Amino acid sequence: MKIEPSRLDGVLIIQPSVFTDPRGFFMETYHRERYYDHGIRVDFVQDNYSFSTAKTVRGLHYQYPRSQAKLVQVFKGAIYDVAVDVRRGSPSFGKWVGVHLSEANNRQLFIPEGFAHGFAVMSETAIFTYKCSDFYTPETERGIIWNDPELGIEWPLKDPLLSVKDQNYLGLRAVTPENLPPYEGAS
Protein backbone atom coordinates (compact mmCIF):
# COMPACT_ATOMS: atom_id res chain seq x y z
CA MET A 1 0.00 0.00 0.00
CA LYS A 2 1.24 3.47 -0.90
CA ILE A 3 -0.19 6.66 0.56
CA GLU A 4 0.48 10.11 -0.83
CA PRO A 5 -0.71 13.42 0.56
CA SER A 6 -2.90 15.65 -1.55
CA ARG A 7 -2.58 19.43 -1.62
CA LEU A 8 -5.05 19.60 1.30
CA ASP A 9 -3.74 18.58 4.71
CA GLY A 10 -5.37 15.32 5.81
CA VAL A 11 -6.83 14.33 2.42
CA LEU A 12 -4.86 11.26 1.32
CA ILE A 13 -4.61 9.32 -1.94
CA ILE A 14 -4.20 5.62 -1.26
CA GLN A 15 -2.94 3.01 -3.69
CA PRO A 16 -3.72 -0.42 -2.23
CA SER A 17 -1.49 -3.35 -3.15
CA VAL A 18 -3.05 -5.47 -5.88
CA PHE A 19 -1.95 -9.08 -6.34
CA THR A 20 -2.66 -10.49 -9.80
CA ASP A 21 -2.33 -13.89 -11.41
CA PRO A 22 -4.00 -15.66 -14.36
CA ARG A 23 -7.21 -16.07 -12.32
CA GLY A 24 -7.66 -12.36 -11.65
CA PHE A 25 -6.58 -10.24 -8.71
CA PHE A 26 -6.84 -9.80 -4.95
CA MET A 27 -6.80 -6.51 -3.09
CA GLU A 28 -7.30 -5.65 0.55
CA THR A 29 -9.61 -2.64 0.59
CA TYR A 30 -9.23 -1.94 4.31
CA HIS A 31 -7.11 -3.26 7.17
CA ARG A 32 -7.48 -1.15 10.30
CA GLU A 33 -3.97 -1.71 11.68
CA ARG A 34 -2.29 -0.94 8.35
CA TYR A 35 -4.34 2.21 7.90
CA TYR A 36 -3.69 3.22 11.52
CA ASP A 37 0.05 2.74 10.90
CA HIS A 38 -0.27 5.29 8.07
CA GLY A 39 -2.04 7.85 10.26
CA ILE A 40 -5.64 7.04 9.31
CA ARG A 41 -6.88 6.48 12.85
CA VAL A 42 -10.59 6.39 12.24
CA ASP A 43 -13.16 3.91 13.44
CA PHE A 44 -15.53 3.40 10.52
CA VAL A 45 -19.11 2.56 11.53
CA GLN A 46 -21.06 2.54 8.25
CA ASP A 47 -20.42 1.33 4.70
CA ASN A 48 -22.33 2.78 1.74
CA TYR A 49 -22.77 1.55 -1.83
CA SER A 50 -23.76 3.89 -4.65
CA PHE A 51 -24.68 3.19 -8.28
CA SER A 52 -24.79 6.15 -10.67
CA THR A 53 -25.20 6.72 -14.40
CA ALA A 54 -23.05 8.77 -16.76
CA LYS A 55 -22.83 12.54 -16.20
CA THR A 56 -24.20 12.30 -12.64
CA VAL A 57 -22.79 14.64 -10.02
CA ARG A 58 -23.47 13.84 -6.38
CA GLY A 59 -22.57 16.46 -3.81
CA LEU A 60 -21.08 18.49 -2.40
CA HIS A 61 -22.23 16.88 0.88
CA TYR A 62 -21.11 17.00 4.50
CA GLN A 63 -22.62 16.47 7.93
CA TYR A 64 -22.38 18.85 10.86
CA PRO A 65 -22.37 18.58 13.84
CA ARG A 66 -22.03 14.83 13.26
CA SER A 67 -19.09 15.11 10.86
CA GLN A 68 -17.93 12.11 8.90
CA ALA A 69 -14.52 11.03 7.69
CA LYS A 70 -14.80 8.91 4.54
CA LEU A 71 -12.72 6.31 2.76
CA VAL A 72 -13.97 6.15 -0.84
CA GLN A 73 -13.31 3.79 -3.75
CA VAL A 74 -14.75 2.92 -7.16
CA PHE A 75 -15.35 -0.76 -7.93
CA LYS A 76 -16.86 -0.31 -11.40
CA GLY A 77 -16.41 2.58 -13.80
CA ALA A 78 -14.67 5.90 -13.22
CA ILE A 79 -15.35 9.09 -11.31
CA TYR A 80 -13.78 12.45 -10.58
CA ASP A 81 -13.87 12.72 -6.79
CA VAL A 82 -13.71 16.09 -4.99
CA ALA A 83 -13.08 17.11 -1.38
CA VAL A 84 -13.57 20.73 -0.20
CA ASP A 85 -12.33 22.09 3.13
CA VAL A 86 -15.38 23.65 4.84
CA ARG A 87 -13.88 24.00 8.34
CA ARG A 88 -14.38 27.61 9.48
CA GLY A 89 -11.03 29.10 10.46
CA SER A 90 -8.99 26.58 8.44
CA PRO A 91 -6.02 27.97 6.50
CA SER A 92 -7.31 26.00 3.50
CA PHE A 93 -11.01 26.94 3.92
CA GLY A 94 -12.76 26.78 0.55
CA LYS A 95 -9.86 24.99 -1.15
CA TRP A 96 -10.53 21.77 -3.00
CA VAL A 97 -8.75 18.75 -4.41
CA GLY A 98 -9.95 16.47 -7.21
CA VAL A 99 -8.77 12.92 -7.88
CA HIS A 100 -9.65 10.41 -10.60
CA LEU A 101 -10.76 7.12 -9.06
CA SER A 102 -11.58 4.09 -11.18
CA GLU A 103 -11.76 0.33 -11.31
CA ALA A 104 -8.58 0.52 -13.43
CA ASN A 105 -6.43 2.47 -10.95
CA ASN A 106 -7.92 0.96 -7.73
CA ARG A 107 -7.16 4.19 -5.85
CA GLN A 108 -8.91 5.22 -2.69
CA LEU A 109 -9.35 8.70 -1.25
CA PHE A 110 -9.40 9.39 2.48
CA ILE A 111 -11.41 12.49 3.35
CA PRO A 112 -11.19 13.64 6.98
CA GLU A 113 -14.01 15.20 8.99
CA GLY A 114 -14.78 18.79 8.07
CA PHE A 115 -14.66 18.36 4.31
CA ALA A 116 -17.52 18.43 1.82
CA HIS A 117 -17.47 15.60 -0.70
CA GLY A 118 -18.82 15.09 -4.20
CA PHE A 119 -18.12 13.20 -7.38
CA ALA A 120 -18.82 13.21 -11.11
CA VAL A 121 -19.38 9.97 -13.02
CA MET A 122 -17.04 9.78 -16.01
CA SER A 123 -18.06 6.33 -17.30
CA GLU A 124 -21.36 4.87 -18.52
CA THR A 125 -22.08 3.77 -14.95
CA ALA A 126 -20.14 3.72 -11.69
CA ILE A 127 -20.29 1.66 -8.54
CA PHE A 128 -18.84 3.66 -5.69
CA THR A 129 -18.38 2.52 -2.09
CA TYR A 130 -17.35 4.40 1.00
CA LYS A 131 -16.78 3.90 4.67
CA CYS A 132 -18.00 6.57 7.14
CA SER A 133 -16.78 7.40 10.63
CA ASP A 134 -20.27 8.35 11.84
CA PHE A 135 -23.77 7.28 10.94
CA TYR A 136 -25.84 9.18 8.40
CA THR A 137 -28.20 11.54 10.20
CA PRO A 138 -30.59 13.49 7.94
CA GLU A 139 -30.95 16.36 10.41
CA THR A 140 -27.20 17.10 10.26
CA GLU A 141 -26.87 16.75 6.48
CA ARG A 142 -25.49 19.87 4.80
CA GLY A 143 -24.30 20.77 1.34
CA ILE A 144 -22.79 23.30 -1.03
CA ILE A 145 -23.79 23.81 -4.65
CA TRP A 146 -21.56 21.68 -6.86
CA ASN A 147 -20.58 24.52 -9.21
CA ASP A 148 -20.03 27.31 -6.68
CA PRO A 149 -18.06 29.84 -8.77
CA GLU A 150 -16.06 30.99 -5.75
CA LEU A 151 -14.70 27.47 -5.22
CA GLY A 152 -13.74 27.18 -8.89
CA ILE A 153 -13.83 23.39 -8.99
CA GLU A 154 -12.66 22.19 -12.39
CA TRP A 155 -15.33 19.57 -13.00
CA PRO A 156 -14.59 17.50 -16.13
CA LEU A 157 -18.19 17.70 -17.39
CA LYS A 158 -20.93 20.21 -18.08
CA ASP A 159 -24.71 19.99 -17.53
CA PRO A 160 -24.68 17.04 -15.10
CA LEU A 161 -27.61 15.03 -13.79
CA LEU A 162 -28.33 16.33 -10.27
CA SER A 163 -30.81 15.53 -7.53
CA VAL A 164 -33.28 18.29 -6.65
CA LYS A 165 -31.54 18.62 -3.27
CA ASP A 166 -28.11 19.07 -4.89
CA GLN A 167 -29.52 21.67 -7.33
CA ASN A 168 -30.78 23.80 -4.45
CA TYR A 169 -27.70 24.06 -2.25
CA LEU A 170 -26.12 27.50 -1.85
CA GLY A 171 -22.53 28.57 -2.33
CA LEU A 172 -20.06 28.15 0.53
CA ARG A 173 -20.03 31.87 1.33
CA ALA A 174 -23.82 31.76 1.94
CA VAL A 175 -23.56 28.96 4.53
CA THR A 176 -23.90 30.41 8.04
CA PRO A 177 -20.93 29.82 10.38
CA GLU A 178 -23.00 27.73 12.80
CA ASN A 179 -23.55 25.25 9.95
CA LEU A 180 -19.83 24.81 9.30
CA PRO A 181 -17.52 22.58 11.36
CA PRO A 182 -14.73 24.37 13.25
CA TYR A 183 -11.07 23.95 12.39
CA GLU A 184 -9.33 22.28 15.34
CA GLY A 185 -6.36 24.66 15.04
CA ALA A 186 -8.61 27.78 15.13
CA SER A 187 -8.44 29.99 18.18
Side-chain angles (χ1 to χ4, degrees):
M1 175 169 65
K2 294 179 187 173
I3 297 184
E4 62 182 83
S6 72
R7 63 183 176 167
L8 293 180
D9 189 35
V11 178
L12 303 172
I13 302 164
I14 302 161
Q15 186 67 60
S17 298
V18 179
F19 304 95
T20 61
D21 67 24
R23 301 168 298 162
F25 72 89
F26 172 83
M27 166 179 57
E28 214 171 58
T29 60
Y30 180 71
H31 186 291
R32 188 178 69 187
E33 284 75 24
R34 287 195 184 106
Y35 282 67
Y36 272 40
D37 289 348
H38 285 89
I40 301 172
R41 293 182 175 91
V42 173
D43 289 320
F44 294 109
V45 298
Q46 180 176 320
D47 285 357
N48 297 324
Y49 180 97
S50 171
F51 173 84
S52 299
T53 59
K55 294 186 69 176
T56 293
V57 167
R58 294 186 186 266
L60 299 161
H61 304 144
Y62 67 100
Q63 282 192 177
Y64 183 71
R66 295 193 57 180
S67 295
Q68 295 176 313
K70 295 178 180 176
L71 179 63
V72 304
Q73 185 170 16
V74 171
F75 286 131
K76 184 74 176 162
I79 66 165
Y80 184 67
D81 202 67
V82 174
V84 179
D85 188 347
V86 297
R87 300 168 298 167
R88 66 180 184 271
S90 168
S92 58
F93 179 79
K95 304 284 188 218
W96 63 275
V97 64
V99 178
H100 289 275
L101 304 178
S102 70
E103 68 180 299
N105 69 23
N106 293 309
R107 285 176 165 174
Q108 297 175 325
L109 189 65
F110 174 73
I111 304 164
E113 292 181 5
F115 286 75
H117 173 250
F119 65 90
V121 177
M122 304 307 301
S123 52
E124 188 173 320
T125 61
I127 295 174
F128 177 83
T129 67
Y130 56 106
K131 295 183 159 313
C132 299
S133 65
D134 200 351
F135 300 106
Y136 170 71
T137 54
E139 63 275 9
T140 68
E141 184 177 26
R142 310 274 185 263
I144 300 159
I145 190 74
W146 72 282
N147 61 349
D148 182 345
E150 292 193 37
L151 296 179
I153 296 171
E154 297 168 4
W155 293 101
L157 53 79
K158 305 287 184 226
D159 302 317
L161 299 172
L162 297 162
S163 70
V164 172
K165 176 181 68 176
D166 288 351
Q167 290 176 41
N168 290 312
Y169 283 131
L170 302 174
L172 180 57
R173 190 178 296 257
V175 178
T176 57
E178 62 271 8
N179 286 311
L180 294 170
Y183 174 63
E184 288 183 13
S187 53

